Amino acid sequence: MAAKQPPPLMKKHSQTDLVSRLKTRKILGVGGEDDDGEVHRSKISQVLGNEIKFAVREPLGLRVWQLVSAVMFSGVAIMALAFPDQLYDTVFDEESASSKTPIRLYGGALLSILLIMWNALYTAEKVIIRWTLLTEACYFAVQFLVTTVSLVESSRIATGAVLLLVSRALFILISIYYYYQVGRRPKKV
């Protein structure tokens, strides 16, 4: 018995057939605009998303502010850990009568925040940048309140403390400004 030969394979020409390709793309849902006005070239880019969509349009001076903040936090953290008496004396114009431990703990807390700030300097993710700016603003607000209460309780006004209060108020405004600028939706072109 002779074995029957299978028919020769017919090459399908649907890849070259424009109508067939357009029908396939329509079924897959690619090639047309989505709700955001983006045109996806493939199903993979549609599912995974477009990297350009997540890119942060950084406000002018954001990275400079992040660098200045990180350097400033570094300086204060090192000073609080290594020279707690001098830090207290600089701010309140008086000798520290209490233990050095609270000031060193303050330096350790600043060091922890500092690690986040240095890492945020190298990221392009909008959420991380915003959380870092919000952390800065909260830290400056708490420091502003604590210093104000301390000055009111002691009924002394030290120039170092007043300068600290003014600078912290300015830093709060700058951090909140960048926080909202990074969170703004980009204008559609």
Side-chain angles (χ1 to χ4, degrees):
M1 237 176 150
K4 219 177 188 187
Q5 291 286 337
L9 293 175
M10 299 287 290
K11 187 173 181 182
K12 195 172 180 184
H13 294 289
S14 65
Q15 291 297 340
T16 57
D17 182 16
L18 183 61
V19 175
S20 178
R21 277 196 349 212
L22 289 174
K23 283 180 184 176
T24 305
R25 291 179 69 77
K26 187 163 183 115
I27 290 170
L28 287 174
V30 295
E33 283 191 9
D34 64 2
D35 296 338
D36 296 331
E38 292 186 27
V39 178
H40 295 283
R41 302 286 178 227
S42 69
K43 195 65 177 176
I44 293 173
S45 72
Q46 187 177 12
V47 172
L48 295 179
N50 192 350
E51 192 175 316
I52 297 169
K53 182 178 181 179
F54 299 110
V56 176
R57 192 171 239 156
E58 295 177 353
L60 189 63
L62 172 68
R63 294 302 179 170
V64 173
W65 172 245
Q66 286 181 307
L67 179 66
V68 167
S69 295
V71 168
M72 187 173 50
F73 270 71
S74 300
V76 174
I78 290 169
M79 192 168 175
L81 289 170
F83 312 108
D85 290 332
Q86 287 79 2
L87 181 65
Y88 188 86
D89 186 41
T90 302
V91 174
F92 293 106
D93 290 337
E94 62 183 52
E95 287 287 324
S96 174
S98 62
S99 171
K100 296 177 185 179
T101 305
I103 299 172
R104 286 199 170 123
L105 286 172
Y106 166 72
L110 275 183
L111 201 61
S112 300
I113 295 172
L114 174 70
L115 293 173
I116 296 168
M117 293 175 71
W118 278 109
N119 283 323
L121 187 61
Y122 298 106
T123 189
E125 291 187 42
K126 189 180 196 178
V127 175
I128 293 173
I129 293 171
R130 289 192 82 209
W131 272 106
T132 305
L133 290 166
L134 186 62
T135 302
E136 279 182 56
C138 289
Y139 165 77
F140 291 138
V142 167
Q143 190 177 32
F144 182 86
L145 290 173
V146 168
T147 306
T148 304
V149 169
S150 298
L151 288 175
V152 168
E153 285 177 350
S154 69
S155 67
R156 291 184 55 192
I157 298 179
T159 45
V162 171
L163 184 63
L164 180 74
L165 288 175
V166 171
S167 67
R168 292 313 178 230
L170 179 67
F171 295 159
I172 290 168
L173 292 175
I174 293 171
S175 294
I176 290 174
Y177 168 76
Y178 282 123
Y179 175 79
Y180 283 113
Q181 288 299 314
V182 171
R184 276 188 5 189
R185 290 186 179 263
K187 295 178 183 174
K188 289 194 176 184
V189 181

